[in-house]
């Protein structure tokens, strides 16, 4: 049964009658590629090839070019559009050019940090396998915490750990903060409301300490679901950011079906759960 046949089947069923109120076909979108203003360093280009990346999507190239130019950026493209490469590529390039360079990756959950840790391992498993990075959270053993604090080029953590475990002990992190070049904020749309205002304060505290130690890091923010990326990024980080939103990733054709679940009361004021 095709998707269209399945939709027609639902429309004909008594239990679903008059509940499917809108159907829209979203056509397929081909991939669009672009080139960087200058080539990547040879080890990084080799690592990307080994990971199966031989070309960059339009938004990836635009974002990396902007980051290389020293701009803060926020990338607002669709889910699974390759935003991880947007920050991994410039971060790894800066570390290859200057081994003392450091990067801080912030994720809203430990699970997401672990997912991105796996992606980073896959990208660096051959050519860049000597690079030290890791997650720094409540589950990190004390010995590993010390090693990451002293030698990690990339630290993956969350705002709570930044607030409670890193910033109060900034003298122990002085080498990391002195050389901090990039602050990556993934899933930036999560930081809204009271939670977002708290994280914004933590980030301002982080920037004050960075400047105290002589660093002026760039922000790289990513989000797939945000309507006002420029405003949101500036309110969150306190700095203006270039918006990259022209999605170059491919997308298969889709059928958008709007379904109103049935009413469950005589007055027609409550509907059945969509689940």
């Amino acid at each position: 049964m095709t998707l269209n046949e399945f939709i027609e089947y639902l429309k004909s069923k008594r239990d679903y009658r008059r509940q499917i109120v809108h159907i829209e076909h979203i056509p397929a979108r081909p991939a669009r590629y672009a080139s960087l203003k200058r080539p990547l360093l040879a080890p990084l280009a080799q690592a990307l090839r080994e990971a199966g990346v031989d070309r960059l999507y339009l938004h990836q190239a635009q974002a990396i070019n902007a980051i290389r130019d020293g701009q803060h950026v926020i990338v607002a493209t669709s889910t699974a559009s390759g935003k991880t490469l947007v920050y991994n590529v410039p971060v790894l390039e800066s570390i290859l050019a200057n081994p003392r360079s450091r990067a801080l990756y912030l994720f809203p959950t430990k699970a997401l940090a672990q997912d991105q840790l796996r992606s980073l391992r896959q990208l660096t498993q051959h050519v860049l396998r000597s690079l030290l990075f890791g997650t720094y959270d409540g589950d990190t053993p004390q010995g590993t915490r010390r090693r990451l604090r002293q030698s990690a080029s990339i630290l993956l953590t969350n705002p709570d750990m930044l607030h409670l475990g890193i910033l109060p002990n900034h003298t122990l992190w002085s080498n990391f903060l002195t050389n901090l070049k990039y602050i990556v904020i993934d899933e930036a749309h999560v930081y809204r409301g009271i939670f977002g205002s708290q994280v914004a304060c933590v980030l301002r505290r982080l920037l004050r300490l960075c400047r105290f130690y002589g660093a002026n890091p760039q922000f790289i923010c990513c989000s797939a679901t945000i309507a006002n990326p420029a405003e949101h990024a500036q309110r969150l980080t306190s700095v203006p950011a270039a918006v990259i939103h022209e999605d170059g990733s491919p997308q298969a054709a889709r059928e958008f079906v709007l379904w109103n679940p049935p009413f469950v009361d005589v007055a027609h004021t409550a509907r059945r759960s969509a689940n």
Side-chain angles (χ1 to χ4, degrees), residues 115-249:
D115 287 343
Q116 296 304 318
L117 179 65
R118 285 189 287 271
S119 297
L120 195 55
R121 282 174 177 161
Q122 291 172 358
L123 182 59
T124 61
Q125 61 183 335
H126 299 301
V127 179
L128 306 171
R129 58 182 175 272
S130 62
L131 191 68
L132 178 61
F133 53 84
T135 55
Y136 192 90
D137 55 39
D139 297 330
T140 307
Q142 288 297 327
T144 304
R145 291 188 187 191
R146 189 179 306 109
R147 186 164 62 95
L148 291 173
R149 183 173 63 243
Q150 293 173 349
S151 306
S153 295
I154 304 173
L155 195 73
L156 296 83
T157 188
N158 55 72
D160 186 57
M161 197 66 181
L162 176 63
H163 174 56
L164 295 175
I166 297 176
L167 298 184
N169 305 300
H170 61 86
T171 55
L172 300 176
W173 290 87
S174 58
N175 180 65
F176 186 89
L177 295 173
T178 298
N179 296 285
L180 186 58
K181 184 173 178 60
Y182 293 113
I183 301 172
V184 173
I185 305 177
D186 205 357
E187 302 293 326
H189 63 277
V190 172
Y191 305 114
R192 60 184 187 270
I194 294 176
F195 177 48
S197 67
Q198 295 277 19
V199 173
C201 289
V202 172
L203 291 175
R204 283 155 175 77
R205 183 182 176 198
L206 171 61
L207 285 179
R208 287 197 300 270
L209 285 171
C210 287
R211 288 161 186 157
F212 175 78
Y213 287 106
N216 187 28
Q218 284 176 251
F219 281 98
I220 306 173
C221 304
C222 296
S223 176
T225 52
I226 189 168
N228 57 337
E231 178 188 2
H232 181 76
Q234 183 159 3
R235 293 178 68 184
L236 181 63
T237 66
S238 76
V239 296
V243 177
I244 309 297
H245 59 82
E246 197 173 354
D247 197 335
S249 64

Side-chain angles (χ1 to χ4, degrees), residues 28 45 59 64 75 154 158 213 217 235 254 256 265:
H59 63 280
I64 293 170
V75 183
I154 304 173
N158 55 72
Y213 287 106
R235 293 178 68 184
R254 293 175 294 172
F256 178 84
D265 62 337

